[in-house]
Amino acid sequence: MSLLEVREVSVRFGGHMALQDVSLGVEPSKIVGLIGPNGAGKTTVFNVITGLQEPLRGRVLINGIDVTSFAPHDRAQRGMARTFQRLELFGSLTARENLMVAAEIRRTWGQHTIPAEERVESAIDLLGMHEFIDKRADVLTTGQARLVELGRALVTRPKVLLLDEPASGLDASETEYFAGILQGLARAGMGILLVEHDVPLVMKICHDIYVLDFGKVIAHGIPEQIQQDQRVIDAYLGSGSGVPA
Amino acid sequence: MDQFVTYTVFGVVLAAIYAIAASGLVVTYTTSGIFNFAHGAVGMLGAFAYWQFHVKWGWPTLLSIAVVLLVIAPLIGVFVERVVMRGLQGVSEVTKVVVTIALLFTLIQVAPVIWSPKGSYSVQPFFGAAKIDLAGAGVTYHQLIVIGVAIVVAAGLRALLYGTRLGIGMRAVVDNRMLAELNGARPDRMSAFSWILGSALAALAGILIAERIGLETVALTFLVVNAYAAAVVGRLTSLTRTYVGALLLGLGQAYAQGYLPDNPTWFAERNLDIRSLSLAIPVIMLFVVLLLIPHARLRAHGIVRSRELIPRPTYRWSLVGFGVLIGVVSLLSGALSGEDTLIWSQGLCFGIIMLSLVPLTGYGGQISLAQMSFAGLGAYAIATWGGGGNPLGVVLAVLLAAAAGILVALPALRLRGIYLALATLAFAYVMEKVVFNQRALFPTTSKPVDRLWGLESNRAYLIFLAVVFSLVGFGIVWLRRSKFGRRLQAMKDSPAACATLGLNLTVTKLQVFILSAGIAGLGGALFAGANRAAATDSFSAVQNLPVLLMAVAGGIAMVSGALTGGLLLASFSLATRSIPTLELFGVDAKSFFENLFRLAPGLIGITLGRDPNGLVAMVSDKVKRLWERRLQHRGTRDLPVPATRWQQLVEPVWAVESMGVDTPFVPEEIARIDERLALDEEEVRAGVFA
Ligand SMILES: Nc1ncnc2c1ncn2[C@@H]1O[C@H](COP(=O)(O)OP(=O)(O)O)[C@@H](O)[C@H]1O
Ligand SMILES: [Mg+2]
């Protein structure tokens, strides 16, 4: 059974169809890529999954349970967490407090096995955030803020993690480190849905890729298939290198 | 039949005036994102200016109106936009609300300085009592003119917003800044223009209604509350719906006045009057319409870079602070006269009531304009059940207010920002007009109160209040440092992120509303104790405005801010009272200083855009800086980011910063704008509130 399933979701903004019959699935231990040009509808898919955007049609299932009518917090409590493309940290709190809040929220509905502080410390260690962890979140650099957001999602111990362009703002070595973390999380059983413009990264770590263009899934397959797909090359990858348009 | 026609005409005329006033609100709101609580005060000034020109100086009607609408109102608009509204970037919704409330207080106090309250002012309807006959009912020319003007305004605004580039730009700003960034042109003109237009519409409404309700500052100013309901029917963005709302409201009021049956005997026997409901029609409508607004969708909006700080006090320094407070009050109380003791007691009670806003608004970002109504319930409880100083009275005060908190919170949970402020204000009006004025509850407008534990000495009571303030304040400090306090702040910064982390926002808001209402109820009970009376007019809806204003002015996220705000609020009356009669250079200095003190709350509030953290932070920041200079301390301070930097850091939430009309739109852009504007209402609104 899929951890996360999106079935034939459509979204309309005014007269504009932002998504048309989009379906995708995320299995445990798999990193699934969702790529496509700007404005293709990737963030909208995330918003539908997390309950921030009501779809016109279609359903969302978490662990086989239809959550389409659930409030965002109810969905999160089924084991899902996300990051935001434009960053959505709690600006007036420190980075550490950002993580604490998330860990404490987790304790309001989950089992209370590991104390919040401990989970926060492990996230700080894992992501190497010691240097800036006591700064206020609204003064962090984009790269730091992305890490904090990832950490904040992780301390809720999600089964499925949605990442919206997590590597933008990271330099090459940070990206590499980051890729390692994602692979580690997947090995530990987490399902990850990754929206990312860094095509080499996506090709390297994803097990499965969906390509979105003008709100439609135009291709789906393993990285090798996607790289060969003529429509994907035309719409997104461009003829040469594999660099996004 | 002719009676029906009379009521209908009356209702339509009211509707016309509401519509004009409300469209002014809508115009400024859509372009600047600021709901102008001072709109009515601008209308009031317009009406007085018209009186000055037309009645006092005998200018012709049309000339007087033209000067008011084309010179005076625009000047006010430009002043407001330049001096008050600029610099409101990176401030929270509550600061925006409070700045316009402050403006309202300033304008309300300015008017009597120019037009002495001792004088008598009245304006005649246009063409006097001349009327025509309509289905057996007389319709005055004035009424016809009012209706005609409303139609012209509607047509004019439509032509402006849909037919001119300026208007299209203004409408596009409603939508979102991304789109607005298509254009590199100047925004300031558009913002200024919307304030000018808004002021002119307010003044027009003021002139038209002045003959009916008279030139009375407060009545004219608050008449506009009725227009709020109409504007909210248009969700603050749609002019057509605003007009429909105004029509419903005007007719509803007129028919209620004409046809509502006498109070049924069953109610009369129980000293209840359901006819008072008719007084509350506009606010009831406001409340109902707000409840019909679809749930505000959660949206990601990027990291909020707020200039506002929420200090994290240490227990040790808080204890020192409370110790100092109790010590100072004990010492001081020996030296104060009886009357001064009373005023300081009131100040501490206001402080406790303002403490209720610290977790709710300061930490949690929920705006409430109903705290004085909760306080009123507390006062009622102690008057009713606290006889002989029975502590049960205070316990019930807290519980009753907390219960009312649930009542407000449940429907209000779905609302955010200005809508929440308006809903709570509507609740406060309903409490005032439908609950507090029932003779079954308050046989007269004031009910005697016994002080808790019979603390008869004013001095003992004052010290007691300082202790209570310290206890509650310490609780708030504890809260700030607790999980719950952190969670409230997180909710304020990003409800969307909280929800996607699994936080039930409804429960969290409900908790903080209950807590806050309970504290306000306690404050109200103690306030009534200080006065030995629960007087209903202390708890009228309007009283919420200065309370929120001074709480923010002191520092909404700080215990010390609440203390400062409370003491200041009480001391304004002290200061005005204690100024000796004196003349300086042949000028009556007493009245000068009195006016200054009356203006103080407003003036303090207006400066909040510059420094939204309030007086306490401002002073302590200065002290800290002096101190650091003395210590030759050169460590870089991590936070706050220097104020000057904010202009560069803060993303302009309102596209007014990035959009103007200097560069002509190309057809493609206009097409995109129109495509945007075809978004359904909810989208647009969600964008506005994101
Ligand atoms: N709230 C909204 N209202 C109107 N249009 C929107 C909204 N959110 C996204 N869109 C539009 O939907 C399309 C998809 O956007 P998005 O999901 O953010 O794309 P991506 O993340 O792939 O870059 C874009 O054309 C965008 O302008
Ligand atoms: Mg995106």
Side-chain angles (χ1 to χ4, degrees), chain A residues 11-14 16-19 34-47 53 85 164-165 195 197 212 214-215, chain B residues 175-176 178 297 299 672 675-676 679-680 683-684 686-687:
Chain A
V11 169
R12 186 164 69 192
F13 292 122
H16 167 66
M17 285 302 283
L19 292 180
L34 178 60
I35 59 175
N38 276 326
K42 305 177 296 292
T43 300
T44 306
V45 171
F46 273 26
N47 288 343
Q53 172 68 50
Q85 179 181 356
D164 200 345
E165 303 196 14
V195 166
H197 279 306
L212 209 56
F214 288 111
Chain B
D175 185 28
N176 72 37
M178 272 184 335
R297 229 185 58 207
R299 283 194 162 224
R672 291 187 75 164
E675 189 199 330
R676 282 311 167 108
L679 294 175
D680 64 276
E683 277 306 322
V684 173

Side-chain angles (χ1 to χ4, degrees), chain A residues 52 73 77 87-88 92 104 136, chain B residues 301-302 486 493-494 502 639:
Chain A
L52 299 187
H73 70 268
Q77 294 183 4
L87 293 168
E88 197 69 21
S92 68
E104 287 157 2
R136 238 173 83 132
Chain B
H301 44 52
R486 251 196 307 264
D493 285 348
S494 174
L639 279 165

